[in-house]
């Protein structure tokens, strides 16, 4: 007797589509970037006006809050990876991350003492650790391999778009309406994101309404009642592979469906630690993670030292200084295009180009020494090139991680069994983001104080260049070489 397929929910095809799921991931990373941006724009004023912190101590508390944010990401990443890996329904970790974001915003809004700011930063870091692990895993779970690059670029661009618009909106609202409306606006963004997450129907839920074959067109994979999702994915992969071998070249499979025969030798249940250890021992994954770490170090270093340098060199106020960051942030809208190009020409070529461009542009920033029109124009142009380099280097690496994992699981089935290690790889990516957020301000401010602007830019250029070697040595030269 065949199982009865439940009646589909309202707007099922839309809610289970990759377009709505991609929009939900974009909204989640946008929320993270938006909350980060409004806090950065308001915190220096609230520390003095509300918390009574002396002006001279504001940089200290700001730096501490950023360091705590990064450390919370690093320490929260393993927990986020474990939770995402255990939850079949992807909404659950998203709801946990949004709850942390909501608590962080409330703490910023209601807290007066500086220690409350630190607590809020911890919640914000924990939220970020869940957001990127769950969001990127969901995209890999939903999008076909040949389409993954543009969708990863689209998902990551939400963070940059949030960082782009939030300082301006936060500053205007703070100036016109006061302190509390700024964070009420932030809570509103969290609630809109929550609605999108609750509306979407992820793959596991969609399978209940499509039967074994899955007919949504959104990369649904069948789950039997007595099988885990990855085992079902393997079974589905076998069916699709046999169809391809019979002569249908149009059928593809998602990355979470290793298309290979399995034997009883790999039907074991590997521990979480063995999966993470296997991922960390792979030089291809380490090369991609190192590139993401260097990318984040450069971003956070620019956030730390660029405003100080511009203020002292060009004698600009906060508005013009903040506008300079538009030169770095606007190229983030190239994310989907970069993903498409990297899918076609390979991560090694595109990411190497990004780091090379970033190295040259950061190095030439040392030439900016005087307060004149020529130096200002050159600074804007170089910052645009840095923004292009940052986005051209990061999107291909983030897209490549699940592809490396897919190959790795086929090469070493004795380590991974029938479990996907994509979540663990993105957990490590989250930790790299957090570590870069801590190391960037620390290294750049130390270099700026001891070596000056020229020494600081030289150090950052060398760090950026250091990512090129492992990428060229270990990553595949083209998509066919994976």
């Amino acid at each position: 007797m065949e199982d009865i397929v439940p009646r589909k929910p309202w707007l099922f095809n839309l809610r289970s589509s990759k377009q709505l799921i991609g929009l939900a991931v974009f909204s989640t990373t946008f929320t993270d970037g938006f909350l980060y941006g409004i806090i950065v724009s308001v915190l220096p004023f609230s520390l003095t006006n509300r918390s009574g912190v002396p002006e001279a101590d504001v940089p200290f508390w700001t730096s501490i809050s950023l360091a705590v944010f990064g450390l919370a990401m690093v320490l929260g990443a393993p927990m986020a990876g474990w939770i995402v890996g255990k939850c079949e329904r992807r909404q659950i970790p998203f709801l946990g991350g949004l709850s942390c974001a909501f608590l962080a915003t409330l703490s910023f809004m209601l807290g007066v003492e500086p220690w409350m700011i630190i607590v809020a930063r911890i919640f914000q870091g924990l939220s970020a650790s869940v957001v990127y692990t769950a969001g990127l895993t969901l995209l890999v779970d939903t999008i076909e391999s040949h389409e993954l690059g543009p969708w990863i670029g689209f998902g990551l661009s939400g963070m940059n778009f949030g960082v782009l618009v939030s300082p301006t909106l936060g500053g205007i609202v703070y100036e016109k309406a006061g302190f509390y409306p700024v964070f009420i606006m932030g809570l509103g963004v969290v609630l809109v994101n929550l609605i999108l997450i609750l509306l979407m129907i992820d793959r596991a839920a969609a399978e209940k309404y499509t039967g074994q074959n899955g007919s949504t067109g959104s990369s649904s994979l069948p789950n039997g009642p007595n099988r885990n999702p990855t085992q079902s994915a393997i079974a589905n992969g076998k069916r699709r592979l046999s169809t391809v071998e019979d002569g249908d070249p149009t059928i593809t499979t998602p990355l979470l469906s290793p298309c290979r025969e399995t034997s009883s030798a790999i039907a074991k249940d590997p521990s979480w630690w063995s999966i993470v250890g296997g991922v960390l021992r792979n030089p291809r994954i380490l090369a991609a993670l190192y590139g993401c770490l260097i990318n984040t170090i450069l971003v956070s270093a620019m956030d730390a030292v660029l405003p100080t340098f511009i203020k002292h060199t060009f004698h600009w106020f906060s508005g013009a200084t903040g506008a300079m960051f538009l030169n770095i942030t606007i190229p983030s809208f190239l994310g989907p295009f970069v993903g498409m190009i990297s899918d076609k020409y390979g991560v090694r070529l595109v990411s190497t180009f990004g780091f090379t461009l970033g190295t040259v542009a950061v190095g030439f920033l040392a030439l900016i020494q005087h307060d004149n029109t020529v130096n200002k124009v050159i600074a804007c142009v170089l910052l645009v090139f840095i923004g292009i380099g940052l986005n051209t280097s990061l999107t291909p690496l983030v897209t490549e991680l699940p592809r490396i994992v897919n190959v790795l699981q086929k090469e070493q089935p004795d380590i991974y069994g029938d479990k996907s290690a994509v979540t663990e790889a993105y957990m490590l990516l989250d930790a790299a983001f957090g570590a870069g957020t801590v190391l960037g301000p620390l290294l750049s401010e130390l270099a700026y104080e001891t070596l000056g602007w020229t020494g600081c830019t030289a150090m950052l250029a060398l760090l950026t260049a250091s990512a090129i070697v492992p990428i060229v040595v270990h990553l595949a030269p083209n998509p066919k070489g994976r």
Side-chain angles (χ1 to χ4, degrees), residues 392-403:
T392 307
S393 59
L394 181 63
T395 300
L397 294 177
V398 177
T399 306
E400 189 71 0
L401 278 173
R403 292 167 175 160

Side-chain angles (χ1 to χ4, degrees), residues 278-298:
V279 171
L280 283 174
R281 286 193 297 270
N282 184 267
R284 289 168 289 179
I285 290 180
L286 291 178
L289 290 175
Y290 181 73
C292 294
L293 171 66
I294 295 301
N295 184 286
T296 310
I297 287 177
L298 184 56

